[in-house]
Amino acid sequence: MSDLRYGIYLRPDPATCWTVTQITAALRAQYGLISAGAFPPHATLIGNLATDATADEVIAAVDPVLRAAPAVEVFNSGIVRVGDCYEYDINRDASSGAENRQLGTIAHDVIQAVLPLSKKVDDSYTVQVEDYAFSAHIGLASHDLKVDSHLSDEVGDFLRGLPLTPPGSFLARWYSAFEFRADDWTGHWWTSLTWKHLHSWHVGAPSRTGSPELSG
């Protein structure tokens, strides 16, 4: 195994997690797609932190940010196609369609907290921490289709036909730190990816924009 990577993730509500798990399992069973299902259901705040710091040091750097974070209302705008890939878009406010600024602020502060620990790497199909432009989403079909897109249209049609609907909204109140290993980060690393949960944060009081009853 090569060197570790670390990630800080938003964990959606249980019902959304269960929906994503069923979708990625169906895509693996039907098409052999494995990338999105290789991870726990999540929205990435940072996903590829290469560092000489220890896991405890990474957690300590992020801890003040997430201890102070509010529980933010998140809306699921449904499945969207981004390039040849598919995801749930959870980056928008339901009423205005504008970006969810509160969630963006949390992600920005997490990125700033770990930047001093980050080191440059020459990976494939990853983004350096300092170059990551946060846009909250939950991956459903990803790196496999970047490598070979011949199934992208069919996968989109398949996704639209699945009888699975996540809640329209949830409170973002759980965040987790993970460590990742892969045989070769310069190649198709998701085919050998393994992960370990390190720590979770249950964040504070709700900060709502006032709309529908929430799930989770």
Side-chain angles (χ1 to χ4, degrees), residues 100-123:
N100 189 324
R101 291 185 178 181
Q102 289 182 304
L103 192 55
T105 295
I106 294 170
H108 173 269
D109 291 347
V110 167
I111 291 169
Q112 294 304 306
V114 301
L115 267 178
L117 305 179
S118 178
K119 67 178 184 179
K120 290 278 190 179
V121 290
D122 186 23
D123 297 347

Side-chain angles (χ1 to χ4, degrees), residues 135-186:
S135 180
H137 65 278
I138 304 172
L140 303 174
S142 50
H143 299 89
D144 317 78
L145 297 180
K146 290 180 180 180
V147 172
D148 181 356
S149 63
H150 84 278
L151 282 170
S152 290
D153 291 343
E154 184 176 342
V155 166
D157 185 65
F158 182 80
L159 285 170
R160 288 187 289 271
L162 290 174
L164 298 167
T165 303
S169 63
F170 64 89
L171 283 181
R173 56 186 179 183
W174 284 97
Y175 297 87
S176 299
F178 291 87
E179 69 173 31
F180 301 98
R181 294 179 185 269
D183 290 342
D184 180 11
W185 288 105
T186 65

Side-chain angles (χ1 to χ4, degrees), residues 16-121:
T16 298
C17 289
W18 178 229
T19 303
V20 172
T21 298
Q22 292 178 91
I23 288 172
T24 56
L27 290 174
R28 179 166 188 161
Q30 191 64 46
Y31 298 108
L33 303 184
I34 63 172
S35 175
F39 298 87
H42 70 281
T44 302
L45 276 68
I46 58 165
N48 185 46
L49 174 62
T51 180
D52 292 324
T54 66
D56 286 343
E57 289 169 337
V58 172
I59 292 168
V62 175
D63 188 68
V65 174
L66 293 180
R67 281 184 177 272
V72 176
E73 188 176 9
V74 173
F75 297 92
N76 191 334
S77 301
I79 295 173
V80 297
R81 180 169 179 167
V82 180
D84 293 312
C85 305
Y86 294 88
E87 60 193 37
Y88 279 133
D89 179 1
I90 61 168
N91 199 49
R92 304 289 169 182
D93 176 271
S95 58
S96 68
E99 291 185 3
N100 189 324
R101 291 185 178 181
Q102 289 182 304
L103 192 55
T105 295
I106 294 170
H108 173 269
D109 291 347
V110 167
I111 291 169
Q112 294 304 306
V114 301
L115 267 178
L117 305 179
S118 178
K119 67 178 184 179
K120 290 278 190 179
V121 290

